Amino acid sequence: MTERMQSMEDMERLRSDFLGMVTHELKTPLAAIKGSAATALGSPRPLDYEEIRELFQIIDEQSDRLRDLTDNLLDISRIEAGSLSVKPEPLDLRPVIEEAQSIMIRSGRSQRIEVEMPAEMPAVNADKRRLVQVLTNLLTNAAKFSSAATPIKIGVEHDALLATVRVQDEGQGIASDKLPLLFQKFSQVHDSGKTRATGTGLGLAICKGIVEAHGGRIWAESDGEGKGATFSFTLPLAAEAAATPAKAATPTMTAGVRRSERPRVLAVDDELPVLRYLQHSLNEAGYQCVVTSDPSQVTKFVELEQPDLILLDLRLPGVSGFDLLARIREFSAAPVIFLTASDSSEDTVRALKLGADDYVTKPFAPSELLARIEAALRRRSLPGVGESRPPFKVKDLEINFAERRVILEGKEISLSATEYKLLYELATHSGLVMTFDQILQRVWGAEYAGETELVRSFIRNLRRKLNDDAKQPRYIFTERQIGYRMVKE
């Protein structure tokens, strides 16, 4: 049996299972509503107040259940069409978490919820209603699969660009082979002989769609069955200054990219409707959008137009987006975001290894794309602590943090945004060993935990650009099975 046929059979099985679940989820509240109404209308004796109240309470609760089901079905269809609507605005996370907690209490869940958040937590850029929906779903899942005697913990942290929210329980846990299935629609990872999970299997898929529409990521971690689970997601921080994306991205870029009051974006796709959509959306958002459907013209466009950011399709006529990225990286450090229909984790990791800054799967909501573009430009332009930090100098290498320039033997070298961020972390921790996990957390984010080959790939690229021999290193030293350290000034 071919892989395609197997995939079609799997999809047909999932569709059949889904129809069965939806039928069950629809019929159960309908039966309760019909039964309550029939009891009230057909009773041979007058019902007293308490009996009538109980029947109406059942009707009210089951109507809410039907409404939630139809809302979920509408949301998943919008997510698949790339039309899920979010309206991000600067938002304090505290009242959002409190509202999600209140919904949990009103639903009858008795678990204790513990919240840990920095006292000076900056605002995030998010749609409050949708964010409450995500948190309520994660808290409900945590309560469903854990004992009422154990607490659910909500942790919040942030770096210069993103806030990370974690929902942790001490419940059933998740087998490692089931983790990749969690955010697929219709999946029921706890459906076994021991436990029959209820619901349509849409909740986590909707959470994923909402988080990604904000420009964030969502993932799950568990040490195995019986050991609890942690669900984490990221959200972009609200920009302190700048009312528009164009203004938010105006600080100095790295070598090879010019300054511009309206950042210029080059979009490459062989589908003309996609290009028209991108051009309209980006121009409306305050960017200058240059488009092309001819991959042979891309390197010329990059050289002549000097875009501040490149949107690149993965499947192009006559050439792979991976190959095109490799050519671009030979002379341009502009951020590259892949826009592709492929949701393969292997393609995602390969793109990042080759120097891509982000990876967005089609279809996508306009708000997600704009959030990811803004985040990529902010990562390049964010001075952070570098403005007040003196230059790093060792042998023939100098890193000017204030200007974000890297100079080797008197000549400036061009690094991608991710390469610079990796070098920045190593240089600012010079003399100390940075583990693979520390590097992944600081440079890529916690969702890439365990991707040690990603770090190795970027270190190889850095060494090549720094003329640094791994066997006789001058700048970056390998600590076998641990990580890397940079020679101290």
Side-chain angles (χ1 to χ4, degrees), residues 297-477:
Q297 298 296 310
V298 170
T299 53
K300 183 178 75 173
F301 267 96
V302 174
E303 288 180 313
L304 294 178
E305 300 291 341
Q306 296 187 18
D308 297 306
L309 183 138
I310 301 165
L311 301 175
L312 186 61
D313 191 11
L314 185 58
R315 313 294 183 208
L316 293 164
V319 65
S320 161
F322 296 132
D323 295 334
L324 206 51
L325 173 61
R327 293 180 208 166
I328 292 170
R329 280 291 172 254
E330 291 176 1
F331 61 91
S332 174
V336 174
I337 298 177
F338 271 111
L339 302 181
T340 173
S342 171
D343 60 357
S344 162
S345 58
E346 290 81 4
D347 283 347
T348 304
V349 172
R350 184 181 177 190
L352 294 172
K353 284 182 181 179
L354 289 172
D357 294 83
D358 208 342
Y359 189 98
V360 179
T361 55
K362 300 175 182 176
F364 48 82
S367 56
E368 177 186 2
L369 179 60
L370 293 174
R372 294 198 182 284
I373 290 173
E374 184 177 351
L377 291 174
R378 286 175 64 194
R379 277 197 296 270
R380 290 177 59 79
S381 61
L382 185 70
V385 297
E387 286 193 341
S388 59
R389 188 185 295 275
F392 174 90
K393 296 179 181 179
V394 59
K395 301 185 188 325
D396 296 323
L397 176 67
E398 178 181 340
I399 306 172
N400 188 317
F401 297 111
E403 299 178 9
R404 296 177 63 87
R405 298 171 62 218
V406 180
I407 301 166
L408 180 66
E409 297 176 351
K411 295 182 180 179
E412 187 167 347
I413 62 174
S414 178
L415 300 180
S416 71
T418 306
E419 288 169 343
Y420 177 84
K421 193 173 182 182
L422 175 56
L423 185 62
Y424 171 88
E425 292 296 338
L426 291 171
T428 53
H429 294 86
S430 59
L432 302 174
V433 177
M434 293 195 72
T435 67
F436 287 110
D437 284 343
Q438 287 172 332
I439 293 171
L440 285 163
Q441 171 74 36
R442 290 175 176 272
V443 179
W444 285 276
E447 62 266 43
Y448 292 99
E451 295 287 352
T452 55
E453 185 54 36
L454 184 60
V455 180
R456 291 191 178 100
S457 176
F458 269 81
I459 289 291
R460 285 195 291 270
N461 291 341
L462 266 181
R463 281 174 166 158
R464 178 174 53 82
K465 292 186 177 183
L466 298 177
N467 295 325
D468 199 22
D469 188 346
K471 295 180 180 177
Q472 295 181 315
R474 304 176 66 206
Y475 309 117
I476 301 174
F477 291 78

Side-chain angles (χ1 to χ4, degrees), residues 220-239:
E221 299 164 287
S222 177
D223 290 331
E225 293 183 356
K227 298 182 178 179
T230 301
F231 286 81
S232 307
F233 64 92
T234 60
L235 293 168
L237 296 181

